[in-house]
Amino acid sequence: MAIGAKRTFFYGILLSSIASSAMVSIYFFSRAHFIIAVILRIIVGIGHGPLFPATYAIWSMWAVPLERATLKSIGFCSNNLGTGN
């Protein structure tokens, strides 16, 4: 049974959003704040992992065939800018 690109994208964003929102909890735990922050960042990474394949699948279904490559290029060109590379 396939989950589908829209559900994969939704659950990935949901998981990373919950983990990012839970980062506020590190202020309440003075002793274990570093460990909790690392665990939450790992959860954010797990949530973001399936987003690239899901995004490609969504673009391939929803974009006009003649504009698909241009839209993918525009959509993914900011990755290097966002990571600082």
Side-chain angles (χ1 to χ4, degrees), residues 60-74:
S60 68
M61 289 185 290
W62 288 356
V64 178
L66 294 175
E67 297 177 358
R68 194 172 294 158
T70 305
L71 291 173
K72 285 182 184 179
S73 298
I74 292 169

